[in-house]
Amino acid sequence: MWYTGPVVEPVGARSLTPGRVAVKPVSRRAVLARTALSGAAIQPIKKLRVAEEIADRIRVLILDGTLPSGEPLPGERVLAGRFGVSRGSIRDAFRMLETIGLLETRHGQGTFPRDLDVNRLVAPLASILSYSRDLSEELLDVRRMFEPAVARFAATRITDADLGDLQRILDTQRRKVKAGASTLVEDTAFHAVVARATRNRVVMRIMETLNDLLIESRKLTLKQKGRPERSMQGHEAVVSALRHRDPEHAWNAMRTHIDQIAELLPRTRPPRRGPRRHSS
C-alpha cells in the first residue's frame, strides 16, 4: 500500500503556531524580578552556611541551658532529622563548636557541651592575636578603645585594697626609675590591677592577653630615654582619678597615658612605605 497524502517537508523557518496569538506585554516589575533571579540576588545555599546556622542554634541552646554540660547532645541522625539537614551538616556544625570550645567529643560516650568559663571565651582571641603577627600593629588601636573604658568603669568599682595595690606598684616603680632599673614588671602589673578593679572576669582576661602581647613592645620602649618617667607620670594621673572615683577623669588620664607612650612606639620599628601608622 502506498502513501498518497501530502508531502511532509522540513519545518524550516515557518512557525507551527496556528494563526496569530496575542502576546501579553511584560511589566517592568516582572523584568526587574527576572533580572534579580538571574543575578546574584538568589544563589544556591552553600553547605557551610547551613552548618553555620546549625552551629548558631546549638550555641544558643547551650548558652540558655537547654543543652546542659553534663548530658550528651542527641545523636547526629536525630539532630539531622530535627533540623531537616544532612548528617554531614551536623558534623560540620559540631566541628565549628569544638573549635571555639563549646563542645567536646568523648570517645564512646558522645558529644557534650563544655562548661563555660572565661578562658574558653577569650582563648580564641588570644590564639588569633598570638599567631597573627600582622595584627600586632592594630594593638595600639585596641588599647585606645579598651583601656580608657576599663579605667572609667574601674573608677565606679575600685576598692581601697585595689588603690593600695596600685600605690605599692607606683612606689616600686618610682624607686626603680631613680635607680635606672627596668620597670617592665610594674608597668604590666599596673594595667592588670586596673582591669581587676572592674570586677569583670572577661575584662581581666582580655587585659592579661594584651599584657602578654605587649611584653616585647614594652621591653623596647622602656629602654628609651624618658620613657620610664613618662609611664610613671601617666600611671600617677590614672591613680589620682581612680582615688577620686572620677570615671571621666580616669578615662582621660588613661587615654593620655596611652597616647604619650604611642609617640615613642614608631621609633622602635624600621621605616615603612606608604601611609604612616602607629604600631604597638
Side-chain angles (χ1 to χ4, degrees):
M1 186 175 197
W2 300 91
Y3 176 73
T4 58
V7 177
V8 178
E9 299 177 352
V11 173
R14 289 181 296 169
S15 173
L16 295 179
T17 303
R20 291 178 173 269
V21 177
V23 179
K24 187 177 180 179
V26 180
S27 67
R28 176 178 174 78
R29 181 179 297 178
V31 173
L32 292 175
R34 190 175 301 168
T35 301
L37 287 172
S38 62
I42 297 182
Q43 298 178 348
I45 298 176
K46 296 181 178 180
K47 181 180 179 181
L48 181 60
R49 294 180 182 173
V50 174
E52 287 176 349
E53 184 174 347
I54 296 168
D56 191 55
R57 293 186 187 184
I58 294 176
R59 178 184 61 82
V60 171
L61 294 174
I62 293 173
L63 294 178
D64 69 12
T66 302
L67 298 174
S69 59
E71 299 178 11
L73 268 64
E76 292 178 1
R77 187 184 301 278
V78 173
L79 289 176
R82 291 182 182 177
F83 284 115
V85 298
S86 68
R87 295 179 65 180
S89 295
I90 297 296
R91 282 193 292 270
D92 289 340
F94 279 3
R95 279 193 288 268
M96 291 178 184
L97 293 171
E98 286 177 355
T99 299
I100 63 175
L102 286 181
L103 289 183
E104 64 175 337
T105 300
R106 301 177 188 173
H107 184 67
Q109 300 182 45
T111 302
F112 291 75
R114 302 185 70 173
D115 291 325
L116 300 178
D117 59 30
V118 176
N119 286 335
R120 289 199 181 96
L121 177 65
V122 181
L125 169 66
S127 178
I128 291 172
L129 292 177
S130 297
Y131 292 99
S132 300
R133 293 303 177 184
D134 57 314
L135 297 180
S136 62
E137 295 184 359
E138 299 176 28
L139 275 175
L140 183 58
D141 290 333
V142 173
R143 295 192 69 189
R144 284 195 174 108
M145 290 184 282
F146 179 68
E147 294 196 59
V150 170
R152 173 192 280 148
F153 194 60
T156 67
R157 291 190 171 187
I158 197 163
T159 65
D160 290 340
D162 295 326
L163 289 170
D165 288 340
L166 288 172
Q167 188 59 54
R168 282 188 286 274
I169 291 172
L170 285 179
D171 292 342
T172 303
Q173 188 175 15
R174 192 176 295 108
R175 288 196 300 271
K176 287 189 173 182
V177 168
K178 290 182 179 180
S182 171
T183 58
L184 175 63
V185 172
E186 289 69 33
D187 206 349
T188 301
F190 176 85
H191 292 276
V193 173
V194 173
R196 188 189 71 192
T198 67
R199 299 297 179 271
N200 185 303
R201 290 176 297 167
V202 176
V203 169
M204 288 186 275
R205 185 65 179 90
I206 292 176
M207 191 67 249
E208 181 182 334
T209 298
L210 287 176
N211 274 335
D212 289 344
L213 296 170
L214 290 168
I215 287 178
E216 293 304 318
S217 173
R218 284 179 173 143
K219 284 181 180 179
L220 293 172
T221 57
L222 284 171
K223 294 178 181 178
Q224 295 186 32
K225 185 177 180 180
R227 160 64 161 97
E229 290 82 359
R230 294 180 71 176
S231 179
M232 185 179 65
Q233 292 167 3
H235 291 175
E236 289 173 338
V238 172
V239 171
S240 176
L242 292 175
R243 186 174 288 113
H244 288 88
R245 271 76 174 182
D246 190 327
E248 294 312 307
H249 281 176
W251 190 99
N252 287 324
M254 184 65 80
R255 178 58 188 259
T256 299
H257 169 55
I258 294 174
D259 284 345
Q260 288 176 343
I261 301 307
E263 294 175 4
L264 301 174
L265 292 177
R267 304 175 194 173
T268 66
R269 303 179 69 90
R272 298 177 45 177
R273 296 180 180 178
R276 180 181 176 184
R277 295 173 58 191
H278 286 299
S279 66
S280 59

